Amino acid sequence: MAVAFRGGCNGVGSGLRSFFSYRIFISALFSFLFLATFSVFLNSSRHQPPHDHTLPSGGNAYMQRTFLALQSDPLKTRLDMIHKQATDHLTLVNAYAAYARKLKLDASKQLKLFEDLAINFSDLQSKPGLNGNALEEDAFRLLEKEVKDKVKTARMMIVESKESYDTQLKIQKLRDTIFAVQEQLAKAKKSGAVASLISAKSVPKSLNCLAMRLVGERINNPEKYKDAPFDSAVEDPSLYHYAIFSDNVIAVSVVVRSVVMNAEEPWKHVFHVVTDRMNLAAMKGWFKMRPLDRGAHIEIKSVDEFKFLNSSYAPVLKQLESAKLQKFYFENQAENATKDAHSLKFKNPKYLSMLNHLRFYLPEMYPKLNKILFLDDDVVVQKDVTGLWKINLDGKVNGAVETCFGSFHRYGQYLNFTHPLIKESFNPNACAWAFGMNIFDLNAWRREKCTDQYHYWQNLNENRTLWELGTLPPGLMAFYSKTKSLDKSWHVLGLGYNPGVSMDEIKKAAVIHYNGNMKPWLDIAMNQYKSLWTKYVDNEMEFVQMCNFGL
């Protein structure tokens, strides 16, 4: 038992000795490491110049930086800080002065203050101490105070100006952006107008196909397409007569078909269609293959058949023979197409084509008639229109729907009122009216000599000084104070350019007019109005299907 107890005590004592020996060993090891590190530090610092700020790499970098900071000159550190403050605020002041100049504030008080402050900071940087020269403690304190005062002033001015300048800079940037966008928009509109005009005035492939097939059919079967005998109805003044002048076969067929389908007594309606020599065979071929229903009458002629229309009588034909006018219309078309869509529009030769000006010769073309309804080829008749013949025109020549509202569509927009003759003869605020559906009293026309008036003004406008071109301006002049205003429901316009025409207005209209570039037979037509025209297309006609009209 005693032996065992003694053995246990010896074991405990041995463990304690081992534990204390281990702690002594660890302490000695840390002491050695500390002395070794401190020795390395002292040796490395002894070989460096006193003001060398190059930091060594390795584990003693932090200690080296601390030691160098303790050895540095505190006055030099403060001087560096002051120099940096002055430089930074000089940059800020110059920046705000530049902003003020950009915002065109050259006469402003703030700009003057910023410029003076910039000069002061520049002067400070040239003073002893900030430019690297030695500086005494007192002089340094004065310099430090001066710099701090300038910095304080600069900060106060920047705080006061920052919001104002930032806002003005944003406004200026916004203006620049708006200007750039407006430039792009104007360019896009111009390109779009030219493209739209080219699309509108080009002959679609389907129309060309239809004309070619009709001519081919007439050539291949001459016996079937002999001219019909004279129809006395074309000279009967007791019937309802229509004048349609066009080179577009499908458009004319829609106008005629819409009148016949909506007429209460179609056998009393007579259509006088005039086209050019090129499309005469196609026009006759169509109405031979698809004769009018319900007893309506039709007469188809070429403009060349009216022999009185020659250059010695019609000013338009005389002007077309002029070399100057031919140059205006037919030279440099490709160059002008990219410059001005407005000019390109009026360079279209159709504005001086005889087919377009035939409307001014109705009394001479149809000498035995008393009244006639003129229709453009881009209209659709939705109701019986015989009521137009019953309207009392009060001795006036022309019955038409007026188009003016507010200051729009008045004579001043169509005629050049800077010309003294125009200014003397017309009222610029007179209300304009529309061509496209006009009931003409031919007897009153003959009495008032309106064709002579048209000739007078057309001759004076050879150099396009009275109006640009077209048939509406000379019409406004020839029928000035001779036009009777009709109810607007007779003629609703704008389906070829205005998407805002209401369907209620259209349903009430006797005639709807696709005036504008977006004709219903073109791909650019407005879809919401196209079906009002396509329902009168004769889709059973074989050539319409073959030519892929896409209706």
Side-chain angles (χ1 to χ4, degrees), residues 221-428:
N221 302 283
E223 295 297 324
K224 289 171 59 178
Y225 294 96
K226 287 184 178 180
D227 290 340
F230 176 74
D231 184 356
S232 60
V234 300
E235 295 182 347
D236 186 349
S238 65
L239 301 179
Y240 304 110
H241 293 265
Y242 301 81
I244 307 169
F245 308 142
S246 173
D247 57 2
N248 187 326
V249 176
I250 195 75
V252 171
S253 73
V254 167
V255 176
V256 172
R257 198 161 188 251
S258 66
V259 173
V260 172
M261 289 177 66
N262 291 293
E264 294 177 3
E265 299 175 309
W267 57 90
K268 292 185 179 181
H269 294 255
V270 183
F271 299 92
H272 301 270
V273 176
V274 181
T275 188
D276 55 23
R277 187 189 310 170
M278 184 182 296
N279 290 281
L280 181 62
M283 196 74 74
K284 286 185 173 181
W286 175 282
F287 288 102
K288 196 72 174 179
M289 292 180 70
R290 308 298 295 177
L292 300 187
D293 296 330
R294 305 170 69 193
H297 309 270
I298 190 166
E299 174 193 49
I300 303 172
K301 287 188 173 184
S302 166
V303 67
D304 299 323
E305 295 180 49
F306 298 95
K307 301 301 181 184
F308 69 91
L309 292 172
N310 52 60
S311 59
S312 62
Y313 177 68
V316 168
L317 292 176
K318 182 180 179 181
Q319 289 166 12
L320 277 174
E321 292 177 355
S322 136
K324 186 176 181 181
L325 207 62
Q326 288 179 11
K327 182 178 180 180
F328 174 78
Y329 276 105
F330 302 111
E331 289 187 11
N332 299 323
Q333 287 287 336
E335 179 185 348
N336 291 324
T338 59
K339 289 183 179 178
D340 187 359
H342 185 69
S343 297
L344 180 63
K345 172 184 175 182
F346 288 104
K347 281 181 177 287
N348 190 333
K350 85 155 198 173
Y351 285 104
L352 274 184
S353 73
M354 198 61 237
L355 197 61
N356 204 39
H357 284 254
L358 277 182
R359 64 193 72 189
F360 295 107
Y361 298 96
L362 288 170
E364 294 159 280
M365 295 171 69
Y366 309 108
K368 294 186 179 180
L369 302 183
N370 300 324
K371 281 189 175 182
I372 195 166
L373 182 65
F374 171 75
L375 295 175
D376 269 342
D377 64 356
D378 55 354
V379 305
V380 169
V381 178
Q382 301 187 124
K383 297 179 182 179
D384 183 275
V385 291
T386 54
L388 287 167
W389 277 261
K390 300 169 187 175
I391 293 175
N392 183 3
L393 296 180
D394 300 325
K396 304 266 176 93
V397 177
N398 174 28
V401 170
E402 293 183 335
T403 56
C404 62
F405 60 96
S407 61
F408 296 99
H409 296 287
R410 296 189 180 273
Y411 271 55
Q413 289 185 273
Y414 298 96
L415 305 177
N416 177 19
F417 275 86
T418 62
H419 195 287
L421 198 54
I422 295 291
K423 192 173 182 179
E424 291 171 9
S425 306
F426 304 99
N427 178 4

Side-chain angles (χ1 to χ4, degrees), residues 123-287:
D123 292 342
L124 280 175
Q125 288 187 311
S126 64
K127 286 192 174 184
L130 285 182
N131 63 5
N133 297 329
L135 197 66
E136 297 295 330
E137 178 71 22
D138 292 340
F140 171 78
R141 291 184 184 279
L142 289 174
L143 176 64
E144 184 179 33
K145 184 178 184 303
E146 189 175 358
V147 170
K148 285 183 177 181
D149 289 343
K150 298 295 182 186
V151 167
K152 184 178 179 181
T153 304
R155 286 177 178 175
M156 288 174 62
M157 286 180 61
I158 289 170
V159 168
E160 290 176 4
S161 306
K162 189 175 188 303
E163 184 176 353
S164 172
Y165 278 19
D166 286 352
T167 302
Q168 291 183 60
L169 276 172
K170 288 174 184 175
I171 291 171
Q172 185 64 37
K173 287 179 181 178
L174 193 57
R175 283 177 180 165
D176 293 343
T177 303
I178 291 170
F179 177 78
V181 170
Q182 284 177 338
E183 288 286 303
Q184 292 176 354
L185 180 61
K187 188 176 180 180
K189 280 184 176 180
K190 184 176 176 181
S191 300
V194 172
S196 176
L197 194 61
I198 292 171
S199 299
K201 303 310 175 188
S202 302
V203 178
K205 183 179 178 181
S206 53
L207 278 180
N208 185 64
C209 166
L210 180 62
M212 292 299 100
R213 289 192 177 275
L214 287 167
V215 172
E217 173 68 16
R218 187 180 174 90
I219 292 172
N220 292 332
N221 302 283
E223 295 297 324
K224 289 171 59 178
Y225 294 96
K226 287 184 178 180
D227 290 340
F230 176 74
D231 184 356
S232 60
V234 300
E235 295 182 347
D236 186 349
S238 65
L239 301 179
Y240 304 110
H241 293 265
Y242 301 81
I244 307 169
F245 308 142
S246 173
D247 57 2
N248 187 326
V249 176
I250 195 75
V252 171
S253 73
V254 167
V255 176
V256 172
R257 198 161 188 251
S258 66
V259 173
V260 172
M261 289 177 66
N262 291 293
E264 294 177 3
E265 299 175 309
W267 57 90
K268 292 185 179 181
H269 294 255
V270 183
F271 299 92
H272 301 270
V273 176
V274 181
T275 188
D276 55 23
R277 187 189 310 170
M278 184 182 296
N279 290 281
L280 181 62
M283 196 74 74
K284 286 185 173 181
W286 175 282
F287 288 102

Side-chain angles (χ1 to χ4, degrees), residues 34-45:
F34 175 76
L35 290 172
T37 302
F38 189 68
S39 174
V40 171
F41 170 71
L42 289 177
N43 289 333
S44 61
S45 62

